[in-house]
Amino acid sequence: MKTYGYGKQNITEDDIQAVVETLKSPYLTCGPKVKEFEQAICDYTGTKYCVAVNSATSGLHIAMMAAGVGVNNEVITSPMTFLASANCARFCGADVKFADIEKDTANINPDEIKKHISQKTKAVVPVHFAGQSCDMEGVNRALPTDRKIYIIEDAAHAIGSDYKDTKVGSCKYSDMTVFSFHPVKTITTCEGGAVTTNDEELYKKLCAFRAHGMHKDGDMTNDWRYEMRELGYNYRMTDVQAALGVSQLKRLDQFKKRRREIVDFYNKNLGLPHLIEKDFSNACFHLYPILVKDRKKFYFDARKAGLNLQVHYIPVHTQPYYQEQGYKWGDYPNAEEYYNHCISLPLYPDLTDNDLQEIIRRIKEII
Ligand SMILES: *Cc1c(COP(=O)(O)O)cnc(C)c1O
């Protein structure tokens, strides 16, 4: 029996060729392919600056650092996300405040953000769940106007997506946007991520934090000297990965088209409760979650039927680590209710129409 997971990378001969060529080139890292990938992301998203990194987790971390998040600060994010959206605040010693989700999109609710803003709030991390952009104008309206609170978009799910007349990553409604190129995401560099911004100061900080806090400027550019001016990390992406990224990015619009076809197909042919796409969104869907009554039974029945599905996500505030920070079940009812019923169906461009018929047949047998 053919089995299906919920997501799968798409690798072509061109991708392989691009990787092989870079392996044979003088630069395996810190070379021209990283710059080329960064420029390609800028061109695609319509943003000024891009910093490629070795994961979205690293990207979120240096974005927090560039925003100046530190101890005695608070960062607001969604409880319905992968751990990294919250952990990045903890890396910097800040406290995490969660803001509950909207039931129909599973995205963070701007009104809930407003409730959790305090004098300590330094940044907000909206997560574009399943690929659909958050209500970014709503997020902006939720913030006070008398002081700066950074908006850092966690767009790990959302490369290729549009919000109104902008690409996610354009940073028209935010300070920075973070993408992930893990193989389950829409395009991949094996592991990898990127941060986009239009702000030159933030860009310079991101570059430094990616590489040990090292700077090389002024008359230092002509000799061996460099200066470490702050504490940074080694979060660099390799040229081999960037070469794969450049090649993958060329197919992003094709992936988006097929992903939307699959979502339309499920919407029409399954008749099960699913997330709603808002008018402001034109998503490159990363996930297709449905809501089922008995999720546990559905999960194990699906496995027996060759469907290896996944649950996105266990609400972050219920993790033992965050319970130690004072959170408990019951704190974010919408996220918890969503979690109790959600399960993500197969969604990736390699699925053929026959595959989709077969998946639907199996689901209808077990539902
Ligand atoms: C995958 C994911 C991340 C982390 O991405 P990595 O590249 O694996 O570090 C962060 N946030 C969300 C919402 C994700 O889905």
Side-chain angles (χ1 to χ4, degrees), residues 54-58 60 81-82 84-85 127 154 156-157 179-182 184-185 191-193 286 313:
N54 60 0
S55 73
T57 304
S58 307
L60 286 162
T81 185
F82 183 62
S85 321
V127 181
D154 181 339
H157 295 186
F179 294 117
S180 171
F181 309 123
H182 182 279
V184 298
K185 308 293 160 73
E191 294 276 359
H286 163 56
Y313 292 93

Side-chain angles (χ1 to χ4, degrees), residues 101-107 132 274-278 291 334 338:
I101 58 169
E102 307 165 337
K103 281 184 178 168
D104 55 350
T105 64
N107 270 335
Q132 172 169 210
H274 56 80
L275 298 177
I276 300 303
E277 188 173 29
K278 300 268 176 161
L291 300 170
N334 286 0
Y338 181 81

Side-chain angles (χ1 to χ4, degrees), residues 46-113:
T47 190
K48 270 196 194 150
Y49 305 104
C50 175
V51 179
V53 284
N54 60 0
S55 73
T57 304
S58 307
L60 286 162
H61 184 190
I62 60 174
M64 288 283 138
M65 292 171 73
V69 171
V71 282
N72 294 323
N73 286 149
E74 293 171 358
V75 172
I76 300 173
T77 192
S78 171
M80 184 44 61
T81 185
F82 183 62
L83 306 168
S85 321
N87 291 352
C88 58
R90 301 292 305 143
F91 297 159
C92 297
D95 286 332
V96 180
K97 298 282 153 185
F98 297 98
D100 209 354
I101 58 169
E102 307 165 337
K103 281 184 178 168
D104 55 350
T105 64
N107 270 335
I108 197 164
N109 181 338
D111 294 333
E112 293 295 319
I113 293 178

Side-chain angles (χ1 to χ4, degrees), residues 221-290:
T221 44
N222 296 318
D223 59 45
W224 66 89
R225 289 173 297 161
Y226 53 80
E227 270 178 2
M228 179 188 147
R229 297 188 190 139
E230 58 268 298
L231 186 63
Y233 299 83
N234 178 355
Y235 283 167
R236 292 186 305 260
M237 175 181 278
T238 68
D239 276 55
V240 180
Q241 291 171 291
L244 179 57
V246 169
S247 182
Q248 289 259 313
L249 193 59
K250 290 179 184 153
R251 299 202 301 290
L252 177 54
D253 287 335
Q254 204 176 307
F255 292 159
K256 176 175 182 175
K257 182 164 170 284
R258 184 58 186 158
R259 284 173 173 275
R260 289 188 69 89
E261 281 168 8
I262 295 167
V263 166
D264 285 344
F265 184 88
Y266 283 147
N267 284 347
K268 281 201 189 90
N269 294 288
L270 269 176
L272 294 170
H274 56 80
L275 298 177
I276 300 303
E277 188 173 29
K278 300 268 176 161
D279 286 341
F280 58 61
S281 165
N282 176 356
C284 179
F285 289 109
H286 163 56
L287 298 174
Y288 186 83
I290 54 167

Side-chain angles (χ1 to χ4, degrees), residues 186-221:
T186 300
I187 64 167
T188 190
T189 60
C190 302
E191 294 276 359
V195 188
T196 60
T197 184
N198 291 315
D199 182 315
E200 192 182 357
E201 287 307 307
L202 290 175
Y203 171 67
K204 285 184 185 158
K205 286 181 183 167
L206 292 167
C207 289
F209 291 134
R210 169 177 64 178
H212 311 280
M214 280 161 66
H215 293 258
K216 196 169 170 68
D217 48 28
D219 58 4
M220 281 186 254
T221 44

